[in-house]
């Protein structure tokens, strides 16, 4: 393990549309970044592009790096560097660390993207002053990662922390995972837009501003539209975020009955709505927390690293030899 905090580590975030990479110093600061398009539907091409990005970043660091960490949206056994399955990439049973490592001639750490983001927030963001933290990311889906007693909870097979798939209501809508009524189908950005579109197509006068915003075509409505309308004071948009935050707060309270984190950080694109989402989340959370009134309550705060959390976390896990 490198001790000089100025020597950068490489963090890579492989997504369905782009592969982003950066040099990250020992204080969690990004000093150089690069990105390439993800070659669609070609396992080998994605591995090759990732290796090439690592080579480019290594050259940018004059050949001296303190580790290489890769974050990806997948079920990952981080100890083995093995990807079980990636929903948005053509990866099944892939020894990603070995494949990339052999191409770049270095050890490579591979981690689930939400776990990596949780580690980034824990070390340098919203959880940097506590030992037990839960990160909840609210974007297209609901993801998260949990740190307990200074350790990332991965579970026996690396699949721990998939908090979006805790079932809130089995009679609820079908989730992308195949189950029904997961937290994700009620509390994700996708759910927010789905609910707004239903309102637009309903005869209710409540949906008037939303209807105007999308010109009557619900299919063009985005989460950002809803957030902007809520900020401007539209009652329906405020209600939609309130409803989402309420579900989220209930779900997080259930998860806290198991994990008991000292801090909960909310990140992801929908969290850009700020207190319009996090206010109702806090209220519902306080109403459902086990032992409420007779126990300390964890603080529920905004995540602070934004989209960089995964890259910073992956680089830092590699630097610290945390695989
Ligand atoms: Zn699910």
């Amino acid at each position: 393990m490198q001790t000089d905090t100025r020597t950068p580590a490489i963090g890579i975030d492989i997504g369905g549309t782009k592969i982003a990479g950066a040099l990250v110093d020992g204080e969690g600061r990004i000093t150089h970044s690069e990105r390439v398009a993800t070659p669609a539907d070609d396992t080998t091409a994605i591995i090759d592009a990732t290796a090439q990005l690592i080579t480019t970043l290594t050259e940018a660091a004059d050949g001296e790096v303190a580790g290489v960490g890769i974050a990806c949206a997948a079920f990952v056994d981080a100890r083995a560097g093995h990807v079980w399955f990636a929903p948005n990439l053509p990866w099944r049973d892939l020894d990603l660390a070995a494949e990339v490592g052999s191409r770049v001639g270095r050890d490579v750490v591979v981690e689930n993207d939400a776990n990596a983001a949780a580690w980034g927030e824990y070390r340098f963001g919203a959880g940097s002053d506590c030992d037990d933290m839960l990160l909840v990311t609210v974007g297209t889906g609901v993801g998260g990662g949990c740190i307990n007693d200074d350790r990332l909870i991965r579970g026996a097979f690396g699949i721990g922390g998939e908090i979006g798939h805790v079932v809130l209501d089995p009679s609820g809508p079908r989730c992308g995972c195949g189950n029904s009524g997961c937290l994700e189908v009620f509390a994700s950005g996708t759910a927010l837009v789905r609910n707004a579109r239903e309102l637009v197509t309903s005869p209710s006068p409540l949906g008037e501003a939303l209807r105007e915003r999308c010109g009557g075509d619900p299919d063009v409505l985005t989460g950002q539209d809803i957030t902007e309308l809520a900020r401007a004071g539209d009652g329906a948009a405020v209600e939609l975020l309130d409803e989402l935050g309420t579900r989220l707060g209930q779900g997080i309270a259930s998860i806290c009955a198991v994990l008991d984190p000292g801090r909960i950080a909310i990140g992801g694109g929908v969290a850009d709505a700020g207190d319009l989402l996090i206010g109702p989340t806090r209220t519902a959370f306080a109403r459902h927390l086990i032992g409420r009134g007779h126990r300390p309550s964890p603080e529920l705060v905004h995540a602070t690293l934004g989209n960089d959390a995964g890259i910073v976390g992956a680089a830092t896990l590699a630097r610290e030899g945390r695989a």
Side-chain angles (χ1 to χ4, degrees):
M1 192 194 304
Q2 287 280 350
T3 52
D4 187 340
T5 59
R6 289 166 302 182
T7 304
I10 292 175
I12 304 282
D13 191 349
I14 304 178
T17 56
K18 67 173 192 298
I19 307 172
L23 297 177
V24 181
D25 73 13
E27 307 293 332
R29 291 178 297 235
I30 287 178
T31 56
H32 181 96
S33 56
E34 303 271 347
R35 67 171 53 187
V36 295
T38 307
D41 300 329
D42 185 337
T43 299
T44 305
I46 298 169
I47 295 168
D48 288 341
T50 302
Q52 181 55 50
L53 191 59
I54 292 168
T55 301
T56 303
L57 287 163
T58 304
E59 286 167 5
D62 293 330
E64 201 181 343
V65 295
V68 177
I70 296 174
C72 52
F75 294 123
V76 174
D77 181 345
R79 291 177 200 90
H82 184 81
V83 173
W84 298 113
F85 169 75
N88 302 314
L89 295 168
W91 290 351
R92 309 287 183 267
D93 262 324
L94 175 68
D95 285 320
L96 184 62
E99 290 284 351
V100 176
S102 66
R103 283 166 171 77
V104 300
R106 291 178 186 276
D107 286 341
V108 171
V109 169
V110 178
E111 183 56 86
N112 166 270
D113 58 348
N115 279 355
W119 194 255
E121 288 287 346
Y122 169 64
R123 296 288 281 111
F124 301 111
S128 61
D129 58 344
C130 65
D131 291 329
D132 302 272
M133 189 201 84
L134 174 68
L135 172 70
V136 181
T137 56
V138 189
T140 310
V142 173
C146 189
I147 285 88
N148 179 251
D149 199 16
D150 196 39
R151 290 171 65 92
L152 190 55
I153 295 182
R154 294 177 166 124
F157 308 104
I159 299 168
E162 289 291 338
I163 62 170
H165 302 285
V166 169
V167 174
L168 282 194
D169 178 1
S171 61
R174 181 78 60 182
C175 178
C177 76
N179 291 333
S180 293
C182 296
L183 175 59
E184 178 166 301
V185 300
F186 297 112
S188 61
T190 306
L192 178 68
V193 172
R194 185 187 64 226
N195 294 341
R197 287 175 179 172
E198 276 176 13
L199 195 52
V200 164
T201 52
S202 80
S204 169
L206 256 183
E208 201 49 52
L210 286 160
R211 249 173 247 124
E212 267 177 38
R213 180 82 178 198
C214 65
D217 179 2
D219 290 345
V220 303
L221 205 59
T222 65
Q224 204 174 346
D225 289 329
I226 300 158
T227 298
E228 285 175 15
L229 281 174
R231 284 204 185 108
D234 176 58
V238 169
E239 270 185 34
L240 287 166
L241 282 165
D242 189 293
E243 190 185 337
L244 205 77
T246 299
R247 292 290 202 163
L248 194 60
Q250 288 170 349
I252 294 170
S254 290
I255 292 157
C256 285
V258 179
L259 296 176
D260 193 24
R263 175 86 42 86
I264 298 151
I266 312 281
V270 184
D272 290 347
D275 282 340
L276 287 163
L277 175 74
I278 296 186
T281 304
R282 284 194 186 108
T283 303
F285 175 74
R287 207 179 292 143
H288 291 89
L289 181 65
I290 186 86
R292 57 193 174 278
H294 302 280
R295 53 159 292 171
S297 183
E299 228 186 326
L300 209 148
V301 301
H302 297 239
T304 60
L305 299 187
N307 289 334
D308 294 335
I311 284 178
V312 170
T316 306
L317 284 163
R319 172 190 295 280
E320 297 173 347
R322 292 276 186 161

